[in-house]
Amino acid sequence: MSIPDDAYRHMPDLLGRVQDPMTSRFRQMEQWIAELDAVEAEAGRDPAAWRWTEAEREACRRDLLRGREGEDLWVFGYGSLIWDPAVKVAEFRRARLEGFRRSFCMHLEGGRGSPECPGLMAALDADPGHACEGVAMRLPAEIADEETRIMWMREMITGAYIPAFLPVQTPQGEVEAICFLADRANDRFVFLPRPERAQRIATAEGRLGTNREYLENLLESLHALGIEDPEMVELLAMVREAAPEAATP
């Protein structure tokens, strides 16, 4: 297995719930990016206009990781990284990041949305006085360079996040973890009233599935770990009210 059973020693409830990284589509991002470039070109749009180049992604990654070469690295997961990290994790810990909240605030036209029916992607949005509970994942030093390269292709494909090392609290002690934060200055950042957020999530769909499925998967994972997020629960209720015919039995 790409992730040994011992990695779940602090979070046994995660065992059996995390996709094997080697089967994750996010480890095939080069192919996916090439396919999306072809779609953009066929539509008469410049493929380079929708995403960062590999050089831009790598410059961002190298800048953040400078001085940490040869070290284990921690990553904070608050969304799909929890159940589909796509990287080889040596240790999971429950974690809490102060000063941020989980929020559907990033405009989404790919994956679980489309240009015709855009959705919303979750992000860590700055909100003093609040905190986000999730999972801290340790990447062993000997593979951290390659695993973060894969992660940057996934998280920084459009450059819509700000990656930063921030202190996160875990039951086993504080660690500094890579956090992908919402960039409020980015064109993709959009803070909509909750009814509009619910309507978007209820109707958006892309090549990875529906936006609604993502929210349902998120809450299922949080519930399994005993993590409460009343705002997400309320949002899903509004999504189901907006599209009751698609409600999960």
Side-chain angles (χ1 to χ4, degrees):
M1 290 293 290
S2 303
I3 300 178
D5 287 354
D6 184 60
Y8 302 94
R9 58 190 180 277
H10 302 306
M11 299 192 74
D13 289 340
L14 260 184
L15 185 60
R17 292 182 172 275
V18 177
Q19 182 172 346
D20 184 343
M22 300 311 294
T23 68
S24 174
R25 57 180 169 261
F26 293 114
R27 289 190 81 90
Q28 310 298 323
M29 285 298 294
E30 284 105 337
Q31 178 182 338
W32 189 13
I33 290 171
E35 292 173 358
L36 293 175
D37 280 352
V39 171
E40 291 295 298
E42 187 175 345
R45 297 186 289 265
D46 179 9
W50 76 273
R51 63 172 176 84
W52 270 13
T53 64
E54 180 182 1
E56 288 174 314
R57 287 196 310 272
E58 281 297 280
C60 167
R61 185 175 72 94
R62 294 294 184 192
D63 184 57
L64 183 70
L65 302 184
R66 188 172 293 114
R68 297 177 186 262
E69 296 84 358
E71 297 180 5
D72 287 3
L73 297 176
W74 289 90
V75 179
F76 180 70
Y78 60 89
S80 59
L81 284 175
I82 296 174
W83 66 87
D84 186 9
V87 291
K88 300 173 184 177
V89 179
E91 181 182 353
F92 293 96
R93 295 183 186 179
R94 182 161 170 165
R96 178 181 176 91
L97 174 65
E98 298 288 345
F100 291 85
R101 75 185 331 161
R102 210 176 345 252
S103 176
F104 281 84
C105 59
M106 303 301 290
H107 181 79
L108 181 65
E109 293 187 1
R112 294 183 181 274
S114 67
E116 299 75 25
C117 191
L120 292 170
M121 182 52 66
L124 290 168
D125 192 25
D127 195 343
H130 287 82
C132 180
E133 299 234 12
V135 176
M137 300 169 280
R138 180 170 61 85
L139 308 181
E142 61 271 20
I143 61 171
D145 186 62
E146 174 61 13
E147 297 305 292
T148 54
R149 186 188 71 83
I150 291 169
M151 183 168 288
W152 249 252
M153 281 194 291
R154 170 189 184 162
E155 300 296 326
M156 297 300 292
I157 187 169
T158 65
Y161 297 103
I162 300 173
F165 276 100
L166 294 176
V168 298
Q169 306 301 320
T170 83
Q172 293 74 36
E174 181 180 286
V175 299
E176 269 201 325
I178 300 170
C179 302
F180 292 94
L181 313 175
D183 182 357
R184 288 190 166 216
N186 191 280
D187 291 342
R188 293 178 181 269
F189 180 83
V190 53
F191 192 81
L192 300 174
R194 196 169 298 178
E196 291 184 39
R197 271 182 275 166
Q199 186 61 40
R200 275 215 196 185
I201 294 170
T203 57
E205 184 173 0
R207 61 186 294 161
L208 296 183
T210 67
N211 207 176
R212 176 195 180 120
E213 276 179 329
Y214 178 94
L215 176 56
E216 290 175 334
N217 289 340
L218 171 61
L219 278 169
E220 180 182 348
S221 293
L222 295 180
H223 178 73
L225 300 178
I227 296 174
E228 296 184 3
D229 192 327
E231 184 175 340
M232 294 296 105
V233 172
E234 183 178 347
L235 182 60
L236 180 57
M238 295 179 72
V239 167
R240 288 174 171 168
E241 184 177 352
E245 70 281 358
T248 301

